[in-house]
Amino acid sequence: MTEEGKQAVAKARAILENYKGKKLRIMEVCGTHTHAIFKAGLRQLMPENVELISGPGCPVCVTPADFIDEAVWLATEKNAVITTFGDLVRVPGSEMSLAGARSEGADIVPVYTPIDAVEYAKTHPDREVVFLSVGFETTTPSACLAVQRAEKAGLKNFSILTANKTMDEAYRALKDSVDAYIYPGHVCAIVGTRLTEELTGEGISGVVAGFTPSELVTAAATLVELCSKSDEPFFRNCYPRVVTRDGSTAAKKLVEKYMEPADAVWRGLGIIPKSGMVLRDEYAAFDARKKFSVPSFKAKNPPGCRCGEILQGKCKPTDCPLFGKTCTPEHPVGACMVSQEGTCAAYYQYGGVV
Ligand code: SF4
């Protein structure tokens, strides 16, 4: 780190150590930040009257159990090969997880990227291959790229089951529960900062943060300082080496071509209008829901699991009576313990720090 960088971190630490102002609730929205914050020891650095809460930014955690039921249905009733990121395999559905379906003979193939799923479809032309497309602005472009590749290759046996989401409506939905957000740097790198800047007009404050300890401590101090100075909503980009006002034009164009906004169900938050992304009608042949006329499911969440409240920042994992007892990363009861980005998994991994 440069001398200048060291001085900036020392100044940020001093701001946090000396803060004696009003009580603040700050939400780090994304799961990657939740883990990075634990790792950096930032929770221990925060002043007593500043509460850091975790938000709904883990893609696996906010994906409702209905989606797992849809995927299990495709695997068991339509004999489709389900290609998916590994984390989703263990998320409980209402009857079973995808791991459970696999133990009953379903073909569930973990992949690292949606392009891997296209390649799998190319080499298995006699099978229908469905990719489970979850995630936020960071992963949606790669799902669109997969559809583009499949389209160009003339594949008829590849489709995606979408549960893609956008963050801006979630910021709005939770705005009354928090004083300010730590916005996810990687999401802002794609969409740019215009949206989050505009949110100040709706009374929503926040700073964009990177993921290193020094970036996080600087962003937290900026946020605390701005909150204490005035009640006016604010926005700051504390990750300018990566995040620009316009974001990635190429990624946004690609998504715009293949997908459009739609209402989406978030675990714990219910339906948030226009917070999801689905394939446009022109690409219905690649939309598993339309291609296979997937029925709608209304899954129940596991009894006792408080994932929904945790995703809204209403309680902490350690408030859940199942935490660390019947629910562990080895035997997860709810989605927040399954995913590597999940809040419950982070609290478990880093010792249940409150
Ligand atoms: Fe759900 Fe387990 Fe988290 Fe409790 S500890 S809220 S059961 S994931």
Side-chain angles (χ1 to χ4, degrees):
M1 191 187 290
T2 62
E3 197 47 46
E4 201 184 333
K6 283 182 193 161
Q7 281 174 12
V9 171
K11 189 178 161 208
R13 290 181 72 116
I15 289 170
L16 293 176
E17 277 163 19
N18 295 320
Y19 180 73
K20 303 274 185 287
K22 61 187 174 187
K23 266 189 156 227
L24 296 175
R25 273 169 66 84
I26 293 171
M27 178 178 276
E28 91 269 358
V29 185
C30 95
T32 314
H33 267 158
T34 301
H35 279 254
I37 283 169
F38 268 115
K39 252 184 165 169
L42 188 59
R43 283 175 186 273
Q44 288 89 330
L45 274 187
M46 294 308 278
E48 221 170 67
N49 43 358
V50 178
E51 189 184 359
L52 260 188
I53 48 179
S54 305
C58 156
V60 170
C61 307
V62 294
T63 301
D66 317 12
F67 181 78
I68 303 298
D69 290 351
E70 289 182 300
V72 168
W73 183 87
L74 282 164
T76 55
E77 299 298 319
K78 296 292 168 184
N79 195 30
V81 179
I82 300 297
T83 52
T84 174
F85 299 135
D87 278 358
L88 271 179
V89 175
R90 297 191 307 140
V91 176
S94 46
E95 295 293 322
M96 65 174 88
S97 64
L98 287 163
R102 182 165 56 194
S103 67
E104 294 191 3
D107 287 320
I108 313 296
V109 177
V111 290
Y112 289 109
T113 71
I115 299 299
D116 295 343
V118 175
E119 293 304 316
Y120 189 93
K122 274 187 195 167
T123 52
H124 296 78
D126 54 329
R127 298 294 306 273
E128 283 292 343
V129 176
V130 177
F131 173 70
L132 303 187
S133 180
V134 301
F136 298 103
E137 289 88 339
T138 43
T139 47
T140 303
S142 59
C144 293
L145 191 63
V147 172
Q148 188 182 57
R149 290 267 177 100
E151 186 189 19
K152 282 191 177 155
L155 289 186
K156 300 276 184 267
N157 65 329
F158 175 79
S159 56
I160 65 174
L161 186 70
T162 53
N164 298 81
K165 293 181 170 59
T166 51
M167 287 306 316
D168 47 320
E169 292 305 328
Y171 301 146
R172 291 187 174 102
L174 292 170
K175 69 173 186 175
D176 295 332
S177 316
V178 299
D179 292 293
Y181 291 111
I182 296 178
Y183 293 125
H186 48 5
V187 168
C188 295
I190 301 289
V191 297
T193 60
R194 287 180 195 277
L195 265 172
T196 36
E197 283 174 49
E198 282 166 22
L199 289 175
T200 55
E202 299 172 38
I204 300 172
S205 296
V207 301
V208 183
F211 297 89
T212 66
S214 56
E215 285 165 345
L216 283 165
V217 77
T218 309
T222 304
L223 207 151
V224 164
E225 197 172 39
L226 288 168
C227 278
S228 63
K229 268 188 185 159
S230 147
D231 288 331
E232 287 299 306
F234 60 83
F235 169 80
R236 287 288 187 286
N237 179 5
C238 297
Y239 196 28
R241 73 183 172 88
V242 172
V243 173
T244 62
R245 278 202 93 199
D246 291 326
S248 166
T249 312
K252 286 194 286 189
K253 265 192 180 162
L254 183 70
V255 173
E256 167 79 22
K257 180 175 179 211
Y258 286 94
M259 290 194 177
E260 60 186 354
D263 297 351
V265 183
W266 296 57
R267 190 187 291 262
L269 278 71
I271 294 176
I272 303 182
K274 302 288 174 208
S275 67
M277 295 299 283
V278 294
L279 284 172
R280 292 182 181 278
D281 276 346
E282 303 95 281
Y283 304 103
F286 298 101
D287 186 333
R289 226 168 252 121
K290 290 179 180 163
K291 184 175 183 179
F292 298 101
S293 303
V294 179
S296 67
F297 290 88
K298 287 277 167 285
K300 288 198 182 88
N301 288 319
C305 173
R306 300 186 70 181
C307 276
E309 291 161 272
I310 288 165
L311 292 167
Q312 298 172 76
K314 288 184 177 169
C315 72
K316 293 191 168 83
T318 42
D319 297 325
C320 172
L322 310 185
F323 177 80
K325 298 185 180 91
T326 48
C327 184
T328 63
E330 291 73 34
H331 300 286
V333 174
C336 296
M337 188 63 95
V338 174
S339 169
Q340 285 176 358
E341 290 194 5
T343 308
C344 296
Y347 272 68
Y348 188 89
Q349 186 178 348
Y350 296 102
V353 183
V354 288

